[in-house]
mmCIF file of all heavy atoms in Angstrom:
data_model
loop_
_atom_site.group_PDB
_atom_site.id
_atom_site.type_symbol
_atom_site.label_atom_id
_atom_site.label_comp_id
_atom_site.label_asym_id
_atom_site.label_seq_id
_atom_site.Cartn_x
_atom_site.Cartn_y
_atom_site.Cartn_z
ATOM 1 N N ASN A 168 24.332 28.147 -9.967
ATOM 2 C CA ASN A 168 23.235 28.584 -10.845
ATOM 3 C C ASN A 168 23.039 27.738 -12.106
ATOM 4 O O ASN A 168 22.767 28.196 -13.129
ATOM 5 C CB ASN A 168 23.436 30.080 -11.235
ATOM 6 C CG ASN A 168 22.169 30.685 -11.758
ATOM 7 O OD1 ASN A 168 21.036 30.298 -11.293
ATOM 8 N ND2 ASN A 168 22.317 31.719 -12.548
ATOM 9 N N ILE A 169 23.148 26.437 -11.762
ATOM 10 C CA ILE A 169 22.962 25.370 -12.866
ATOM 11 C C ILE A 169 21.707 24.612 -12.605
ATOM 12 O O ILE A 169 21.607 23.849 -11.665
ATOM 13 C CB ILE A 169 24.184 24.398 -12.929
ATOM 14 C CG1 ILE A 169 25.528 25.139 -13.257
ATOM 15 C CG2 ILE A 169 23.987 23.292 -13.944
ATOM 16 C CD1 ILE A 169 26.693 24.367 -13.069
ATOM 17 N N PRO A 170 20.641 24.816 -13.422
ATOM 18 C CA PRO A 170 19.391 24.234 -13.064
ATOM 19 C C PRO A 170 19.181 22.842 -13.703
ATOM 20 O O PRO A 170 18.304 22.048 -13.265
ATOM 21 C CB PRO A 170 18.352 25.172 -13.764
ATOM 22 C CG PRO A 170 19.119 25.768 -14.989
ATOM 23 C CD PRO A 170 20.591 25.828 -14.538
ATOM 24 N N ARG A 171 20.014 22.479 -14.744
ATOM 25 C CA ARG A 171 19.875 21.204 -15.353
ATOM 26 C C ARG A 171 21.233 20.630 -15.603
ATOM 27 O O ARG A 171 22.160 21.522 -15.865
ATOM 28 C CB ARG A 171 19.089 21.235 -16.698
ATOM 29 C CG ARG A 171 17.651 21.714 -16.545
ATOM 30 C CD ARG A 171 16.927 21.766 -17.904
ATOM 31 N NE ARG A 171 16.711 20.422 -18.498
ATOM 32 C CZ ARG A 171 15.724 19.605 -18.158
ATOM 33 N NH1 ARG A 171 14.862 19.999 -17.310
ATOM 34 N NH2 ARG A 171 15.643 18.486 -18.808
ATOM 35 N N VAL A 172 21.409 19.341 -15.548
ATOM 36 C CA VAL A 172 22.702 18.714 -15.673
ATOM 37 C C VAL A 172 22.698 17.572 -16.656
ATOM 38 O O VAL A 172 21.705 16.800 -16.696
ATOM 39 C CB VAL A 172 23.354 18.268 -14.383
ATOM 40 C CG1 VAL A 172 23.680 19.509 -13.490
ATOM 41 C CG2 VAL A 172 22.408 17.368 -13.592
ATOM 42 N N PRO A 173 23.768 17.340 -17.475
ATOM 43 C CA PRO A 173 23.853 16.156 -18.290
ATOM 44 C C PRO A 173 24.407 14.962 -17.518
ATOM 45 O O PRO A 173 25.305 15.080 -16.828
ATOM 46 C CB PRO A 173 24.855 16.635 -19.349
ATOM 47 C CG PRO A 173 25.741 17.542 -18.606
ATOM 48 C CD PRO A 173 24.898 18.283 -17.642
ATOM 49 N N VAL A 174 23.708 13.901 -17.610
ATOM 50 C CA VAL A 174 23.989 12.688 -16.800
ATOM 51 C C VAL A 174 23.989 11.458 -17.756
ATOM 52 O O VAL A 174 23.368 11.516 -18.867
ATOM 53 C CB VAL A 174 23.088 12.361 -15.632
ATOM 54 C CG1 VAL A 174 23.112 13.539 -14.599
ATOM 55 C CG2 VAL A 174 21.612 12.233 -16.156
ATOM 56 N N THR A 175 24.696 10.434 -17.358
ATOM 57 C CA THR A 175 24.630 9.220 -18.149
ATOM 58 C C THR A 175 23.368 8.448 -17.946
ATOM 59 O O THR A 175 22.876 8.413 -16.754
ATOM 60 C CB THR A 175 25.863 8.322 -17.779
ATOM 61 O OG1 THR A 175 27.037 9.022 -17.901
ATOM 62 C CG2 THR A 175 25.931 7.069 -18.737
ATOM 63 N N ARG A 176 22.765 7.982 -19.035
ATOM 64 C CA ARG A 176 21.508 7.304 -18.800
ATOM 65 C C ARG A 176 21.760 6.063 -17.924
ATOM 66 O O ARG A 176 22.732 5.326 -18.022
ATOM 67 C CB ARG A 176 21.000 6.787 -20.201
ATOM 68 C CG ARG A 176 19.660 5.996 -20.137
ATOM 69 C CD ARG A 176 19.177 5.712 -21.477
ATOM 70 N NE ARG A 176 19.972 4.851 -22.279
ATOM 71 C CZ ARG A 176 20.087 3.501 -22.192
ATOM 72 N NH1 ARG A 176 19.361 2.886 -21.272
ATOM 73 N NH2 ARG A 176 20.795 2.776 -22.982
ATOM 74 N N ARG A 177 20.653 5.797 -17.046
ATOM 75 C CA ARG A 177 20.782 4.596 -16.197
ATOM 76 C C ARG A 177 20.773 3.319 -17.131
ATOM 77 O O ARG A 177 19.821 3.142 -17.954
ATOM 78 C CB ARG A 177 19.609 4.601 -15.245
ATOM 79 C CG ARG A 177 19.667 5.621 -14.230
ATOM 80 C CD ARG A 177 18.569 5.366 -13.214
ATOM 81 N NE ARG A 177 18.277 6.559 -12.288
ATOM 82 C CZ ARG A 177 19.028 6.688 -11.122
ATOM 83 N NH1 ARG A 177 19.948 5.827 -10.852
ATOM 84 N NH2 ARG A 177 18.716 7.728 -10.390
ATOM 85 N N PRO A 178 21.625 2.410 -16.800
ATOM 86 C CA PRO A 178 21.517 1.121 -17.560
ATOM 87 C C PRO A 178 20.128 0.355 -17.267
ATOM 88 O O PRO A 178 19.688 0.368 -16.091
ATOM 89 C CB PRO A 178 22.690 0.221 -17.047
ATOM 90 C CG PRO A 178 23.622 1.253 -16.421
ATOM 91 C CD PRO A 178 22.794 2.415 -15.900
ATOM 92 N N GLU A 179 19.512 -0.111 -18.267
ATOM 93 C CA GLU A 179 18.343 -0.899 -18.036
ATOM 94 C C GLU A 179 18.665 -2.399 -17.945
ATOM 95 O O GLU A 179 19.344 -2.923 -18.850
ATOM 96 C CB GLU A 179 17.363 -0.780 -19.233
ATOM 97 C CG GLU A 179 16.824 0.670 -19.390
ATOM 98 C CD GLU A 179 15.695 1.011 -18.451
ATOM 99 O OE1 GLU A 179 15.124 0.059 -17.895
ATOM 100 O OE2 GLU A 179 15.434 2.220 -18.218
ATOM 101 N N VAL A 180 18.353 -3.006 -16.805
ATOM 102 C CA VAL A 180 18.738 -4.381 -16.594
ATOM 103 C C VAL A 180 17.368 -5.269 -16.460
ATOM 104 O O VAL A 180 16.482 -4.932 -15.702
ATOM 105 C CB VAL A 180 19.529 -4.574 -15.293
ATOM 106 C CG1 VAL A 180 19.923 -6.054 -15.147
ATOM 107 C CG2 VAL A 180 20.771 -3.634 -15.313
ATOM 108 N N ALA A 181 17.368 -6.383 -17.228
ATOM 109 C CA ALA A 181 16.230 -7.251 -17.111
ATOM 110 C C ALA A 181 16.740 -8.503 -16.340
ATOM 111 O O ALA A 181 17.747 -9.134 -16.621
ATOM 112 C CB ALA A 181 15.840 -7.727 -18.556
ATOM 113 N N LEU A 182 15.916 -8.859 -15.324
ATOM 114 C CA LEU A 182 16.243 -9.941 -14.463
ATOM 115 C C LEU A 182 15.316 -11.098 -14.713
ATOM 116 O O LEU A 182 14.069 -10.955 -14.559
ATOM 117 C CB LEU A 182 16.105 -9.466 -13.003
ATOM 118 C CG LEU A 182 17.139 -8.425 -12.509
ATOM 119 C CD1 LEU A 182 16.731 -7.819 -11.148
ATOM 120 C CD2 LEU A 182 18.545 -9.064 -12.450
ATOM 121 N N ILE A 183 15.888 -12.309 -14.946
ATOM 122 C CA ILE A 183 15.066 -13.497 -15.260
ATOM 123 C C ILE A 183 15.480 -14.585 -14.333
ATOM 124 O O ILE A 183 16.584 -15.113 -14.429
ATOM 125 C CB ILE A 183 15.228 -13.899 -16.685
ATOM 126 C CG1 ILE A 183 14.956 -12.733 -17.723
ATOM 127 C CG2 ILE A 183 14.379 -15.164 -17.028
ATOM 128 C CD1 ILE A 183 15.341 -13.133 -19.182
ATOM 129 N N SER A 184 14.544 -15.020 -13.445
ATOM 130 C CA SER A 184 14.751 -16.198 -12.623
ATOM 131 C C SER A 184 14.238 -17.382 -13.442
ATOM 132 O O SER A 184 13.207 -17.238 -14.114
ATOM 133 C CB SER A 184 14.081 -16.071 -11.223
ATOM 134 O OG SER A 184 14.758 -15.213 -10.363
ATOM 135 N N THR A 185 14.901 -18.506 -13.311
ATOM 136 C CA THR A 185 14.570 -19.711 -14.051
ATOM 137 C C THR A 185 14.347 -20.829 -13.078
ATOM 138 O O THR A 185 14.997 -20.986 -12.086
ATOM 139 C CB THR A 185 15.592 -20.057 -15.106
ATOM 140 O OG1 THR A 185 16.755 -20.602 -14.465
ATOM 141 C CG2 THR A 185 15.929 -18.864 -16.023
ATOM 142 N N GLY A 186 13.330 -21.722 -13.411
ATOM 143 C CA GLY A 186 13.198 -23.018 -12.578
ATOM 144 C C GLY A 186 11.721 -23.192 -12.322
ATOM 145 O O GLY A 186 10.981 -22.388 -11.905
ATOM 146 N N ASP A 187 11.360 -24.515 -12.468
ATOM 147 C CA ASP A 187 10.005 -24.948 -12.138
ATOM 148 C C ASP A 187 9.709 -24.892 -10.641
ATOM 149 O O ASP A 187 8.593 -24.818 -10.232
ATOM 150 C CB ASP A 187 9.755 -26.391 -12.643
ATOM 151 C CG ASP A 187 9.657 -26.504 -14.120
ATOM 152 O OD1 ASP A 187 9.396 -25.443 -14.805
ATOM 153 O OD2 ASP A 187 9.755 -27.615 -14.659
ATOM 154 N N GLU A 188 10.800 -24.871 -9.867
ATOM 155 C CA GLU A 188 10.651 -24.925 -8.412
ATOM 156 C C GLU A 188 10.365 -23.581 -7.777
ATOM 157 O O GLU A 188 10.053 -23.438 -6.628
ATOM 158 C CB GLU A 188 11.953 -25.459 -7.778
ATOM 159 C CG GLU A 188 13.110 -24.528 -7.738
ATOM 160 C CD GLU A 188 13.903 -24.460 -9.070
ATOM 161 O OE1 GLU A 188 13.442 -24.850 -10.060
ATOM 162 O OE2 GLU A 188 15.051 -23.884 -9.025
ATOM 163 N N LEU A 189 10.437 -22.485 -8.555
ATOM 164 C CA LEU A 189 10.262 -21.111 -8.114
ATOM 165 C C LEU A 189 8.856 -20.610 -8.088
ATOM 166 O O LEU A 189 8.028 -20.931 -9.099
ATOM 167 C CB LEU A 189 11.251 -20.239 -8.916
ATOM 168 C CG LEU A 189 12.685 -20.547 -8.861
ATOM 169 C CD1 LEU A 189 13.386 -19.508 -9.658
ATOM 170 C CD2 LEU A 189 13.218 -20.509 -7.390
ATOM 171 N N MET A 190 8.479 -19.732 -7.233
ATOM 172 C CA MET A 190 7.328 -18.967 -7.255
ATOM 173 C C MET A 190 7.570 -17.643 -6.623
ATOM 174 O O MET A 190 8.494 -17.450 -5.785
ATOM 175 C CB MET A 190 6.165 -19.617 -6.638
ATOM 176 C CG MET A 190 6.162 -19.781 -5.106
ATOM 177 S SD MET A 190 4.555 -20.484 -4.486
ATOM 178 C CE MET A 190 3.438 -19.202 -5.242
ATOM 179 N N MET A 191 6.764 -16.569 -7.000
ATOM 180 C CA MET A 191 6.949 -15.313 -6.428
ATOM 181 C C MET A 191 6.602 -15.204 -4.984
ATOM 182 O O MET A 191 5.674 -15.916 -4.493
ATOM 183 C CB MET A 191 6.153 -14.245 -7.315
ATOM 184 C CG MET A 191 6.796 -13.899 -8.641
ATOM 185 S SD MET A 191 8.305 -13.110 -8.525
ATOM 186 C CE MET A 191 8.498 -12.438 -10.175
ATOM 187 N N PRO A 192 7.205 -14.259 -4.265
ATOM 188 C CA PRO A 192 6.765 -14.052 -2.820
ATOM 189 C C PRO A 192 5.386 -13.690 -2.705
ATOM 190 O O PRO A 192 4.841 -12.921 -3.539
ATOM 191 C CB PRO A 192 7.717 -12.808 -2.446
ATOM 192 C CG PRO A 192 8.850 -12.831 -3.415
ATOM 193 C CD PRO A 192 8.296 -13.364 -4.630
ATOM 194 N N GLY A 193 4.721 -14.180 -1.620
ATOM 195 C CA GLY A 193 3.296 -13.856 -1.409
ATOM 196 C C GLY A 193 2.369 -14.950 -1.861
ATOM 197 O O GLY A 193 1.151 -14.988 -1.422
ATOM 198 N N GLY A 194 2.875 -15.891 -2.609
ATOM 199 C CA GLY A 194 2.015 -16.980 -3.053
ATOM 200 C C GLY A 194 2.069 -18.156 -2.044
ATOM 201 O O GLY A 194 2.622 -18.055 -0.990
ATOM 202 N N THR A 195 1.390 -19.294 -2.408
ATOM 203 C CA THR A 195 1.396 -20.479 -1.631
ATOM 204 C C THR A 195 2.204 -21.529 -2.319
ATOM 205 O O THR A 195 1.612 -22.069 -3.318
ATOM 206 C CB THR A 195 -0.091 -20.924 -1.371
ATOM 207 O OG1 THR A 195 -0.783 -19.878 -0.744
ATOM 208 C CG2 THR A 195 -0.023 -22.190 -0.423
ATOM 209 N N PRO A 196 3.468 -21.758 -1.934
ATOM 210 C CA PRO A 196 4.213 -22.705 -2.732
ATOM 211 C C PRO A 196 3.764 -24.179 -2.477
ATOM 212 O O PRO A 196 3.247 -24.516 -1.404
ATOM 213 C CB PRO A 196 5.633 -22.574 -2.082
ATOM 214 C CG PRO A 196 5.453 -21.980 -0.725
ATOM 215 C CD PRO A 196 4.190 -21.143 -0.830
ATOM 216 N N GLY A 197 3.997 -24.901 -3.548
ATOM 217 C CA GLY A 197 3.688 -26.342 -3.484
ATOM 218 C C GLY A 197 4.717 -27.005 -2.627
ATOM 219 O O GLY A 197 5.742 -26.417 -2.169
ATOM 220 N N PRO A 198 4.593 -28.337 -2.348
ATOM 221 C CA PRO A 198 5.527 -29.061 -1.449
ATOM 222 C C PRO A 198 6.948 -29.224 -2.013
ATOM 223 O O PRO A 198 7.822 -29.393 -1.250
ATOM 224 C CB PRO A 198 4.852 -30.469 -1.311
ATOM 225 C CG PRO A 198 3.971 -30.592 -2.580
ATOM 226 C CD PRO A 198 3.505 -29.178 -2.891
ATOM 227 N N ASP A 199 7.050 -28.906 -3.268
ATOM 228 C CA ASP A 199 8.411 -29.002 -3.904
ATOM 229 C C ASP A 199 8.853 -27.716 -4.512
ATOM 230 O O ASP A 199 9.708 -27.647 -5.351
ATOM 231 C CB ASP A 199 8.485 -30.108 -4.989
ATOM 232 C CG ASP A 199 7.325 -29.921 -6.003
ATOM 233 O OD1 ASP A 199 6.534 -28.976 -5.961
ATOM 234 O OD2 ASP A 199 7.293 -30.675 -6.986
ATOM 235 N N GLN A 200 8.317 -26.619 -3.936
ATOM 236 C CA GLN A 200 8.638 -25.273 -4.546
ATOM 237 C C GLN A 200 9.294 -24.363 -3.406
ATOM 238 O O GLN A 200 9.169 -24.665 -2.199
ATOM 239 C CB GLN A 200 7.364 -24.532 -5.057
ATOM 240 C CG GLN A 200 6.886 -25.075 -6.332
ATOM 241 C CD GLN A 200 5.757 -24.302 -6.959
ATOM 242 O OE1 GLN A 200 4.772 -24.022 -6.286
ATOM 243 N NE2 GLN A 200 5.921 -23.784 -8.132
ATOM 244 N N ILE A 201 10.025 -23.358 -3.911
ATOM 245 C CA ILE A 201 10.708 -22.396 -3.083
ATOM 246 C C ILE A 201 10.322 -20.999 -3.565
ATOM 247 O O ILE A 201 9.886 -20.880 -4.696
ATOM 248 C CB ILE A 201 12.280 -22.547 -2.939
ATOM 249 C CG1 ILE A 201 12.827 -22.490 -4.330
ATOM 250 C CG2 ILE A 201 12.532 -23.929 -2.341
ATOM 251 C CD1 ILE A 201 14.341 -22.556 -4.336
ATOM 252 N N ILE A 202 10.661 -19.963 -2.846
ATOM 253 C CA ILE A 202 10.350 -18.619 -3.159
ATOM 254 C C ILE A 202 11.558 -18.079 -3.918
ATOM 255 O O ILE A 202 12.689 -18.227 -3.570
ATOM 256 C CB ILE A 202 10.026 -17.766 -1.945
ATOM 257 C CG1 ILE A 202 8.935 -18.360 -1.081
ATOM 258 C CG2 ILE A 202 9.668 -16.378 -2.336
ATOM 259 C CD1 ILE A 202 7.677 -18.499 -1.800
ATOM 260 N N ALA A 203 11.252 -17.345 -5.003
ATOM 261 C CA ALA A 203 12.219 -16.686 -5.804
ATOM 262 C C ALA A 203 12.727 -15.445 -5.099
ATOM 263 O O ALA A 203 12.032 -14.469 -4.935
ATOM 264 C CB ALA A 203 11.705 -16.318 -7.167
ATOM 265 N N SER A 204 13.919 -15.599 -4.565
ATOM 266 C CA SER A 204 14.475 -14.424 -3.747
ATOM 267 C C SER A 204 15.584 -13.686 -4.462
ATOM 268 O O SER A 204 15.776 -12.533 -4.214
ATOM 269 C CB SER A 204 15.085 -14.998 -2.396
ATOM 270 O OG SER A 204 16.100 -15.897 -2.652
ATOM 271 N N ASN A 205 16.247 -14.366 -5.369
ATOM 272 C CA ASN A 205 17.474 -13.781 -6.023
ATOM 273 C C ASN A 205 17.184 -12.521 -6.782
ATOM 274 O O ASN A 205 17.888 -11.526 -6.728
ATOM 275 C CB ASN A 205 18.129 -14.791 -6.984
ATOM 276 C CG ASN A 205 18.655 -15.989 -6.294
ATOM 277 O OD1 ASN A 205 18.918 -15.932 -5.089
ATOM 278 N ND2 ASN A 205 18.843 -17.081 -7.015
ATOM 279 N N THR A 206 16.054 -12.544 -7.548
ATOM 280 C CA THR A 206 15.703 -11.388 -8.377
ATOM 281 C C THR A 206 15.507 -10.154 -7.550
ATOM 282 O O THR A 206 15.860 -9.003 -7.952
ATOM 283 C CB THR A 206 14.511 -11.665 -9.270
ATOM 284 O OG1 THR A 206 13.555 -12.366 -8.514
ATOM 285 C CG2 THR A 206 14.876 -12.422 -10.566
ATOM 286 N N PHE A 207 14.893 -10.367 -6.426
ATOM 287 C CA PHE A 207 14.675 -9.235 -5.549
ATOM 288 C C PHE A 207 15.865 -8.622 -4.923
ATOM 289 O O PHE A 207 16.065 -7.393 -4.852
ATOM 290 C CB PHE A 207 13.548 -9.554 -4.504
ATOM 291 C CG PHE A 207 12.196 -9.859 -5.091
ATOM 292 C CD1 PHE A 207 11.843 -11.084 -5.532
ATOM 293 C CD2 PHE A 207 11.247 -8.826 -5.232
ATOM 294 C CE1 PHE A 207 10.650 -11.419 -6.146
ATOM 295 C CE2 PHE A 207 10.001 -9.095 -5.743
ATOM 296 C CZ PHE A 207 9.672 -10.329 -6.182
ATOM 297 N N GLY A 208 16.750 -9.489 -4.454
ATOM 298 C CA GLY A 208 17.925 -8.992 -3.998
ATOM 299 C C GLY A 208 18.832 -8.404 -4.988
ATOM 300 O O GLY A 208 19.466 -7.319 -4.777
ATOM 301 N N LEU A 209 18.888 -8.985 -6.196
ATOM 302 C CA LEU A 209 19.691 -8.322 -7.323
ATOM 303 C C LEU A 209 19.087 -7.060 -7.741
ATOM 304 O O LEU A 209 19.833 -6.118 -8.033
ATOM 305 C CB LEU A 209 19.807 -9.373 -8.397
ATOM 306 C CG LEU A 209 20.695 -10.619 -8.142
ATOM 307 C CD1 LEU A 209 20.464 -11.608 -9.173
ATOM 308 C CD2 LEU A 209 22.186 -10.206 -8.099
ATOM 309 N N LYS A 210 17.801 -6.918 -7.782
ATOM 310 C CA LYS A 210 17.202 -5.593 -8.160
ATOM 311 C C LYS A 210 17.589 -4.569 -7.207
ATOM 312 O O LYS A 210 18.022 -3.509 -7.592
ATOM 313 C CB LYS A 210 15.648 -5.791 -8.174
ATOM 314 C CG LYS A 210 14.919 -4.470 -8.506
ATOM 315 C CD LYS A 210 13.434 -4.603 -8.474
ATOM 316 C CE LYS A 210 12.660 -3.309 -8.468
ATOM 317 N NZ LYS A 210 12.886 -2.525 -9.649
ATOM 318 N N ALA A 211 17.539 -4.873 -5.892
ATOM 319 C CA ALA A 211 17.922 -3.869 -4.874
ATOM 320 C C ALA A 211 19.479 -3.472 -5.077
ATOM 321 O O ALA A 211 19.884 -2.341 -5.019
ATOM 322 C CB ALA A 211 17.701 -4.363 -3.479
ATOM 323 N N MET A 212 20.226 -4.481 -5.258
ATOM 324 C CA MET A 212 21.683 -4.288 -5.425
ATOM 325 C C MET A 212 21.975 -3.465 -6.739
ATOM 326 O O MET A 212 22.742 -2.465 -6.656
ATOM 327 C CB MET A 212 22.401 -5.640 -5.576
ATOM 328 C CG MET A 212 23.899 -5.548 -5.807
ATOM 329 S SD MET A 212 24.658 -7.121 -6.113
ATOM 330 C CE MET A 212 24.502 -7.925 -4.535
#
């Protein structure tokens, strides 16, 4: 019969990928670019 519970606040994490070679998924990368995958994997993790 407990309708509300005290919980620890979720940590807020900011993810920053760096590099001129990166672009977000869904775009059209240039000949010297790759897709930024790390931030998406780390966000899920």
Side-chain angles (χ1 to χ4, degrees):
N168 199 24
I169 298 170
R171 298 180 66 84
V172 290
V174 295
T175 307
R176 178 173 66 79
R177 292 187 190 274
E179 296 281 345
V180 184
L182 295 169
I183 305 171
S184 282
T185 69
D187 288 343
E188 75 279 13
L189 299 178
M190 72 171 304
M191 284 294 196
T195 303
D199 53 357
Q200 287 189 303
I201 59 174
I202 305 299
S204 59
N205 294 339
T206 40
F207 292 88
L209 288 166
K210 175 180 168 64
M212 178 187 291

